[in-house]
């Protein structure tokens, strides 16, 4: 997956170029994984930061800016043209799962659209970006159960739910996370840095914590060195989701 916000380069690779250029680069990167992935297939994806945490209080007190519908629709059309998955990421701010899901559920009725939550920016009582936030397993389970209802009611394929993590307390009460039918829960080892630290955190948050599915985020600019597809695929367990920011 390529992560970011359109036309905002500082937020990730997805925003560094026009959509067609981004898709070309994404498909090239996906092909590099397909070449070393054995019998597994690769599904390229666009990871859009749908709800962006702000450093100021918004009119609805959530500290969130939500992507305009016309921009979401533009990228859904691009995804249709190139047969890509789409992730809609919620940074949460001062909002809640219950308050934010109604904004994205209409998009999630599309079989190619999935959900991501970013506990880093869930900071009730504090300004997002000034501290590292966290979400309780109960909130994540609430999102899983909402996705499960959608899958059952709309007769959809499984929904993927990505939850980012790079510190232990970003997901509170983690053992309480549920294995919900119809939902593939991915713990994404987020954060940039050297490969030793990233691998150690992946081992801690995915392998040792017994994650249902593992995810791994890479940063083109900040990671030193940038791990190769061969190195990423050698992780145990092999990541089911790889995100480039």
């Amino acid at each position: 997956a390529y992560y970011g916000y359109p036309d905002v380069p500082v937020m990730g690779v997805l925003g560094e170029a026009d959509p067609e250029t981004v898709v070309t680069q994404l498909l090239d990167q996906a092909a590099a994984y397909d070449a070393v992935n054995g019998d597994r297939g690769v599904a390229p994806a666009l990871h859009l930061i749908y709800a962006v945490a702000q450093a100021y209080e918004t009119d609805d007190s959530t500290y969130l800016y939500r992507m305009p519908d016309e921009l979401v629709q533009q990228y859904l059309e691009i995804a249709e043209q190139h047969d890509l998955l789409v992730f809609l990421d919620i940074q949460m701010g001062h909002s809640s799962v219950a308050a934010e899901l109604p904004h994205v559920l209409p998009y999630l009725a599309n079989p190619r659209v999935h959900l991501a939550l970013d506990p880093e920016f869930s900071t009730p009582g504090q300004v997002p970006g000034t501290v590292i936030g966290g979400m309780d397993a109960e909130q994540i389970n609430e999102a899983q159960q909402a996705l499960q209802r959608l899958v059952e009611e709309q007769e959809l394929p499984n929904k993927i739910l990505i939850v980012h993590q790079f510190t232990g307390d970003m997901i509170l009460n983690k053992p309480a996370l549920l294995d919900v039918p119809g939902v593939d829960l991915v713990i994404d080892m987020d954060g940039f840095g050297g490969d030793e630290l990233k691998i150690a955190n992946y081992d801690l948050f995915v392998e040792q914590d017994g994650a249902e599915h593992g995810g791994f985020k890479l940063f083109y600019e900040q990671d030193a060195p940038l791990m190769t597809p061969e190195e990423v695929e050698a992780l145990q367990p092999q990541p089911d989701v790889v995100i480039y920011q």
Side-chain angles (χ1 to χ4, degrees):
Y2 265 16
Y3 173 102
Y5 194 99
D7 296 322
V8 185
V10 71
M11 295 184 70
V13 63
L14 185 146
E16 291 183 353
D18 63 272
E20 289 303 319
T21 301
V22 167
V23 169
T24 299
Q25 294 171 346
L26 167 64
L27 294 178
D28 287 345
Q29 184 66 80
Y33 278 85
D34 230 357
V36 298
N37 210 25
D39 294 335
R40 304 188 78 187
V42 173
L46 301 169
H47 193 120
L48 300 168
I49 310 173
Y50 171 80
V52 184
Q54 304 296 304
Y56 57 87
E57 185 172 3
T58 50
D59 290 343
D60 62 1
S61 301
T62 63
Y63 285 76
L64 290 177
Y65 172 81
R66 300 178 190 88
M67 187 176 290
D69 178 69
E70 58 269 22
L71 189 54
V72 179
Q73 293 296 341
Q74 177 188 352
Y75 276 80
L76 290 181
E77 291 174 8
I78 292 167
E80 292 285 348
Q81 293 168 9
H82 297 279
D83 194 21
L84 309 175
L85 299 182
V86 175
F87 290 94
L88 299 180
D89 198 298
I90 299 174
Q91 293 190 338
M92 206 56 70
H94 288 199
S95 193
S96 65
V97 167
E100 292 309 308
L101 279 180
H103 293 285
V104 294
L105 280 175
Y107 302 122
L108 289 164
N110 185 326
R112 71 175 66 250
V113 180
H114 303 271
L115 183 65
L117 302 176
D118 197 343
E120 177 185 0
F121 298 99
S122 179
T123 60
Q126 301 185 73
V127 176
T130 62
V131 296
I132 297 174
M135 296 180 67
D136 192 271
E138 182 179 358
Q139 300 173 72
I140 297 169
N141 288 338
E142 183 179 355
Q144 290 200 85
Q145 289 160 347
L147 291 174
Q148 180 188 39
R149 289 193 295 271
L150 181 67
V151 165
E152 292 175 348
E153 291 168 2
Q154 301 283 339
E155 298 183 347
L156 297 169
N158 278 20
K159 286 296 174 186
I160 302 168
L161 174 61
I162 296 175
V163 182
H164 304 293
Q165 182 178 19
F166 60 84
T167 67
D169 54 3
M170 278 177 64
I171 302 178
L172 304 171
N173 301 313
K174 195 173 181 183
L177 288 174
L178 299 175
D179 182 358
V180 176
V183 180
D184 296 321
L185 177 63
V186 178
I187 302 301
D188 169 49
M189 204 305 291
D190 204 338
F192 54 82
D195 53 359
E196 291 185 3
L197 175 61
K198 293 174 76 81
I199 292 169
N201 281 343
Y202 182 80
D203 181 67
L204 178 60
F205 301 136
V206 174
E207 171 70 9
Q208 294 185 39
D209 285 353
E212 180 182 346
H213 297 279
F216 199 79
K217 189 188 276 189
L218 297 147
F219 292 73
Y220 280 122
E221 301 296 331
Q222 293 95 337
D223 281 357
L226 179 67
M227 292 173 64
T228 66
E230 291 88 347
E231 291 169 330
V232 174
E233 298 290 44
L235 294 169
Q236 294 296 323
Q238 189 183 76
D240 291 321
V241 176
V242 179
I243 304 170
Y244 279 86
Q245 181 168 339

